[in-house]
Amino acid sequence: MTIRRLTTTGLTATRLTATRLTATAAAALVLALGATACSSDGGTDARSSSSPAAPGTGSATGPGTSAAGVPKASGPITVFAAASLKETFTDLGKKFEAANPGARVTFNFGGSSALATSINSGAPADVFAAASPATMKTVTDAGGAAGEPRTFVRNTLAIAVPKGNPKHFAGLADLAAPGVKVALCAKEVPCGAAALTALKAAGVNLTPVTLEQDVKGALTKVELGEVDASLVYRTDVRADAAKIDGVEFPEAAKAVNDYPIASLAKAPNKDGAAAFVAYVQSSEAQQVLTAAGFQAP
């Protein structure tokens, strides 16, 4: 009897142990299958947010999102931007690439009107940042923008003069004095249109010795000593403070330029374009822009 009880106990224990092992194995199998299913559902998205997509296509399943809420980007992104944005956008481009290791931002800076003409003529670009709504309108009217352009900064004019302001200019009226050589932007360019508005508000008539195709050209004329002054954006004066001085004038408040930005309808990298436009409007980018002298929209 004793032996029989031991055997029975042993068999019971064996059966209990087998039952526990079977349950454990089944649970492990369920967990393994669940893990495999999760991996199959989310693996593609995880790879697409960290791996560069083919150039010009964006991510394969749509962009991811950064902690700041700005869409992630990959591939080449071409940005056409007003010349007055050169310093700040170059800086923002580096920051954007650092946050999006798979992205490569290339800029084409120039007069907004010339850039708009290039876009409307089919030049490949993903983003357009103009120095005036009127210039952006030439692109939107041609169906070149993807969605509504957004104003991201504003800018005002200042008088650029050689270091030390040797002719002691104090306002726009001084620019009309006999013998004073002044450079302006062409009227088709936003800085030129703004200059004409400010001069009209001041009741000043002057004949410039040169009309430049972008604000950097007008600024360079002062740097080289070819003119006594030029009307440029205050942000350009600040960016070139080592070489020139600036004189502010009250009529500048009558000629404030809004800067709109938009993704382009024929953008080769639509996801990248959307991500860069979103980044320019982010708080981080706005801090860089306002530090350079731009006004918040």
Side-chain angles (χ1 to χ4, degrees):
M1 293 294 294
T2 301
I3 296 173
R4 192 175 294 172
R5 277 201 223 68
L6 285 174
T7 304
T8 303
T9 303
L11 288 171
T12 302
T14 301
R15 285 172 183 167
L16 286 173
T17 302
T19 301
R20 286 177 186 147
L21 286 174
T22 302
T24 302
L29 178 60
V30 170
L31 288 174
L33 289 173
T36 302
C38 291
S39 176
S40 297
D41 291 342
T44 300
D45 288 341
R47 287 194 296 272
S48 68
S49 67
S50 60
S51 300
T57 61
S59 62
T61 59
T65 303
S66 69
V70 176
K72 286 289 186 180
S74 62
I77 304 167
T78 302
V79 179
F80 279 29
S84 51
L85 293 166
K86 183 175 183 179
E87 289 80 12
T88 48
F89 264 35
T90 299
D91 185 19
L92 292 179
K94 293 176 182 178
K95 294 179 183 298
F96 182 83
E97 288 179 341
N100 299 271
R104 301 185 307 280
V105 184
T106 301
F107 294 102
N108 181 12
F109 297 106
S112 293
S113 57
L115 295 174
T117 299
S118 295
I119 291 169
N120 288 341
S121 296
D126 298 296
V127 177
F128 181 37
S132 75
T135 310
M136 177 63 78
K137 189 173 184 296
T138 64
V139 173
T140 57
D141 285 352
E148 191 71 20
R150 301 291 299 273
T151 297
F152 64 99
V153 286
R154 293 187 168 97
N155 210 352
T156 56
L157 297 174
I159 303 171
V161 298
K163 292 296 290 183
N165 192 8
K167 290 190 178 292
H168 308 290
F169 294 128
L172 292 179
D174 295 333
L175 303 183
V180 174
K181 294 183 290 184
V182 178
L184 297 180
C185 295
K187 65 180 181 180
E188 297 81 13
V189 184
C191 63
L196 293 178
T197 299
L199 289 167
K200 183 178 180 180
V204 173
N205 293 312
L206 62 82
T207 301
V209 297
T210 180
L211 293 172
E212 299 299 316
Q213 294 305 305
D214 62 54
V215 70
K216 297 301 185 186
L219 191 66
T220 300
K221 293 294 183 181
V222 178
E223 292 178 1
L224 298 176
E226 296 179 8
V227 298
D228 301 308
S230 66
L231 285 180
V232 300
Y233 295 117
R234 65 195 300 266
T235 53
D236 294 293
V237 170
R238 183 175 295 193
D240 209 23
K243 298 178 181 178
I244 63 168
D245 284 337
V247 177
E248 298 193 351
F249 53 92
E251 295 82 7
K254 302 292 182 66
V256 179
N257 274 15
D258 289 348
Y259 282 51
I261 188 169
S263 301
L264 297 176
K266 295 182 180 180
N269 186 349
K270 295 185 185 300
D271 289 345
F276 187 81
V277 169
Y279 176 67
V280 168
Q281 297 175 82
S282 70
S283 58
E284 177 184 339
Q286 287 293 305
Q287 289 175 6
V288 173
L289 289 160
T290 54
F294 287 99
Q295 299 172 4

